[in-house]
Amino acid sequence: MSGDHPHDLSLPLYGSAAGVNYVALPPTAVDVVASGPTRLIVAWPGFDPPRTARALAAAVPMTGVPAWRVFLDLPGGPPGGLGSGAILENEAIEGYGAAVERAVETLPAVVAELRDVLGLPGEAGGPGGPLGLAGFSAGAAVALLALARDVVPVTTAALVAPVIAPSRAARAVEKRAARERTWSERARALADRLDLGALAPGIAARETALLLVAGGKDRVVPPGEVTALCDRLREAGAPAAESVTLRMGHALAPEPGTEALPPITEAVRVDGVLTDWFRDRLAEPRPRPPADVVPPIRLRLPETPASAPVPGDEPKPRATAVHPN
């Protein structure tokens, strides 16, 4: 593990943990303090903009949340976004599956190293206390798969435009591109394995508070898919599952989505929703210091010298006659 600022934890950190590049933003919220054991939120970008940890950290920084927000790069990735014709190719879907599953497999080791460098409590060599998870698109699929496989303890998660079923995303592209996918049987089996709707019972069993964010104009993950997954999670017994639909498409950043840029309108909306979600569950108002009590004013009178006249006994000035000329 490496970091650019290992001794100053008031600054963002850029480094790698268990071979995964990250951007870590410190808890700088001024109006709330952390409540409960969760002090760390881990988030992943997607294969559509924002595509990197740096780009996602700039787009959705969640500055008002009093916890470390650590953004992780996804391993590898397919050529082109999930909304492009690339997903119809065998190489792309295999790259997607490998990236999502690899991110889940490495999460415990990544978190253990992050806790060490950030000075967060946790067991040596283990992930330690519970986390918050967040993700966009393929990154949201990582978070949901991590819940289904129970690789780390998680208190709450917020998923933006999660790729719920790669097969359905590919089917939508087939209709737009008027051509069929060229997936092998292995690729089809992989896509079926990553169908998160089928994993809803395992996700619900984690008793994690879940927020699913949909884009009203999203053509990669239509809003109906997101609300349907939310309903399925509730039916499976999830203690808290909510969904919200925002006025946006799929991307949260302009192409190519790899650099840290000022957030676009869609990202600002998402950032506000995620910030409120995590603040409601991981924070409480900062205690106000007691009002300053103004001490009573005590006048310090100058001491009267022994030789000074007593007030009222001062010699009176003698009158001076004025004679007219």
Side-chain angles (χ1 to χ4, degrees):
M1 185 280 308
S2 64
D4 293 346
H5 304 289
H7 303 298
D8 189 348
L9 299 184
S10 67
L11 298 172
L13 301 177
Y14 303 88
S16 63
V20 179
N21 293 332
Y22 69 79
V23 177
L25 303 183
T28 55
V30 297
D31 59 334
V32 291
V33 294
S35 62
T38 303
R39 297 290 189 273
L40 176 63
I41 297 171
V42 174
W44 294 269
F47 289 146
D48 295 271
R51 292 185 168 101
T52 65
R54 289 179 184 246
L56 184 61
V60 189
M62 297 178 279
T63 305
V65 181
W68 280 94
R69 289 92 60 221
V70 179
F71 302 82
L72 304 177
D73 277 339
L74 285 173
L82 296 177
S84 71
I87 196 175
L88 302 180
E89 305 297 330
N90 202 63
E91 177 185 2
I93 187 60
E94 289 188 351
Y96 168 85
V100 170
E101 294 196 313
R102 179 61 179 162
V104 172
E105 291 167 2
T106 59
L107 182 58
V110 170
V111 171
E113 290 199 24
L114 287 172
R115 287 192 182 279
D116 181 56
V117 71
L118 300 179
L120 296 173
E123 299 174 3
L131 310 173
L133 296 182
F136 159 67
S137 189
V142 172
L144 287 170
L145 187 62
L147 284 170
R149 296 185 179 177
D150 197 20
V151 296
V152 290
V154 180
T155 54
T156 183
L159 305 316
V160 181
V163 180
I164 298 166
S167 296
R168 286 200 295 275
R171 192 176 305 128
V173 173
E174 283 181 322
K175 292 179 180 179
R176 292 198 300 269
R179 67 187 181 91
E180 296 183 356
R181 73 194 85 171
T182 60
W183 290 1
S184 65
E185 288 302 317
R186 175 183 171 184
R188 292 177 186 275
L190 174 62
D192 290 343
R193 189 165 71 239
L194 297 179
D195 186 329
L196 299 172
L199 301 178
I203 297 170
R206 303 285 81 81
E207 298 188 352
T208 298
L210 299 168
L211 173 67
L212 287 84
V213 181
K217 297 183 284 186
D218 194 334
R219 297 198 304 172
V220 176
V221 185
E225 285 196 29
V226 177
T227 55
L229 177 61
C230 188
D231 292 341
R232 193 162 185 178
L233 289 167
R234 290 173 182 156
E235 293 169 359
E242 300 178 21
S243 65
V244 60
T245 300
L246 302 181
R247 191 170 66 252
M248 65 182 192
H250 190 68
L252 297 180
E255 290 284 2
T258 56
E259 299 299 325
L261 297 174
I264 62 175
T265 300
E266 291 83 351
V268 172
R269 293 189 186 118
V270 169
D271 184 63
V273 169
L274 266 58
T275 296
D276 289 345
W277 172 263
F278 284 116
R279 280 168 65 100
D280 286 347
R281 284 148 189 84
L282 306 180
E284 60 186 16
R286 182 180 294 278
R288 298 183 64 179
D292 294 336
V293 178
V294 179
I297 298 176
R298 296 182 179 180
L299 297 178
R300 182 179 176 83
L301 299 176
E303 296 181 0
T304 303
S307 60
V310 176
D313 290 343
E314 298 90 341
K316 294 181 173 52
R318 288 185 296 174
T320 302
V322 178
H323 299 282
N325 293 330

